[in-house]
Amino acid sequence: MKDNIKNSPAKKKSLFLMAGFVLVSVLAIVLIAPPMLEFFKKPEQVRAWVEEKGMVGRVAYVGMVAVQVVIALIPGEPLEIAAGYVFGTLEGTILCLLGTTIGSIIVFLFVKTWGMKAIEPFFSKEQIEKIPILNNPQKLELLTFILFFIPGTPKDILTWAAGLTPIQFHHWMLITIVARFPSIITSTIGGDALGTKEYEFAIIVFLATLAISLVGVLIYKKIENKTAKNTAHTHK
């Protein structure tokens, strides 16, 4: 019976789709990430491209942000800063939120479908075990919101981990949209200031964001270490 289950068409299809997703992700990292980051290092080039493409450029930008969320190794901050520079604070923030929402939906549903197997190709077992939201079911939604709200926390791995929790889809979407807002808007404000050549204000925004992010990293590390200790204690 077990052999029949292992060799069932559904199992083979699942493994095939999983292997395909991993392959596409690796190709995206190798082929898309470097030119994407290089592209956004030259914001004037991005602005000219968007003005030329119009709505198509905006749709493409949303797609780039969504890809960044799915391919967690690509940093999101350069795209958010570029969004502020190219589109301004308001439109840039809306486009970034739309892109992160689409990417988060893809990741959440993918992990819900394939479980831990979906995460293991991208993150080590040690990284997964230390994720705080996987080890605190009593305060799952509150802790998830706090960790996404604080700048500097690893939101990409948290996005992947959320699919392993019992959190409901609509609750997750509300959390990820609302809680991501502060870190996105600070980046777009800074980018907008660069675009309007308000360099002193941009420096203030980036320094303030950096300081808050460093505090966020320290808070996350403290929570992560506590989670790791509790997990190790449980396994004894």
Side-chain angles (χ1 to χ4, degrees), residues 8-212:
S8 66
K11 182 72 173 180
K12 290 180 179 178
K13 182 180 179 181
S14 176
L15 292 174
F16 177 77
L17 291 174
M18 180 65 191
F21 183 86
V22 173
L23 179 60
V24 170
S25 299
V26 171
L27 288 174
I29 293 172
V30 174
L31 300 177
I32 297 176
M36 180 188 293
L37 295 177
E38 185 64 27
F39 186 58
F40 281 93
K41 286 178 183 178
K42 303 172 182 177
E44 286 293 352
Q45 178 179 325
V46 181
R47 177 176 285 177
W49 182 79
V50 168
E51 289 176 354
E52 178 186 348
K53 300 297 182 181
M55 184 55 67
V56 173
R58 286 163 171 78
V59 172
Y61 183 85
V62 170
M64 289 180 183
V65 176
V67 168
Q68 180 276 319
V69 175
V70 175
I71 312 301
L73 297 179
I74 304 174
E77 287 77 8
L79 281 79
E80 294 167 3
I81 294 171
Y85 186 98
V86 175
F87 303 106
T89 300
L90 178 60
E91 187 177 5
T93 300
I94 292 172
L95 293 176
C96 285
L97 279 174
L98 184 58
T100 55
T101 300
I102 293 172
S104 297
I105 290 173
I106 293 172
V107 171
F108 186 87
L109 296 180
F110 181 73
V111 176
K112 278 294 184 184
T113 302
W114 280 286
M116 183 67 77
K117 291 180 294 184
I119 297 183
E120 288 176 337
F122 304 99
F123 304 102
S124 67
K125 184 179 179 181
E126 291 74 19
Q127 286 178 298
I128 297 170
E129 288 180 345
K130 291 193 297 183
I131 299 173
I133 63 174
L134 297 180
N135 298 279
N136 200 331
Q138 293 81 12
K139 300 178 181 179
L140 172 61
E141 294 188 4
L142 176 61
L143 182 59
T144 301
F145 180 87
I146 292 172
L147 292 178
F148 270 89
F149 187 82
I150 300 172
T153 56
K155 295 174 179 57
D156 293 329
I157 189 172
L158 290 170
T159 298
W160 280 83
L164 296 174
T165 71
I167 191 170
Q168 295 183 31
F169 176 75
H170 61 284
H171 288 178
W172 158 243
M173 290 316 305
L174 181 62
I175 289 172
T176 192
I177 291 171
V178 175
R180 278 183 180 270
F181 182 78
S183 61
I184 290 176
I185 196 169
T186 51
S187 295
T188 55
I189 288 174
D192 188 17
L194 289 176
T196 55
K197 298 183 179 180
E198 299 178 54
Y199 299 121
E200 291 184 3
F201 180 63
I203 291 172
I204 292 172
V205 171
F206 290 137
L207 287 177
T209 302
L210 177 61
I212 296 172

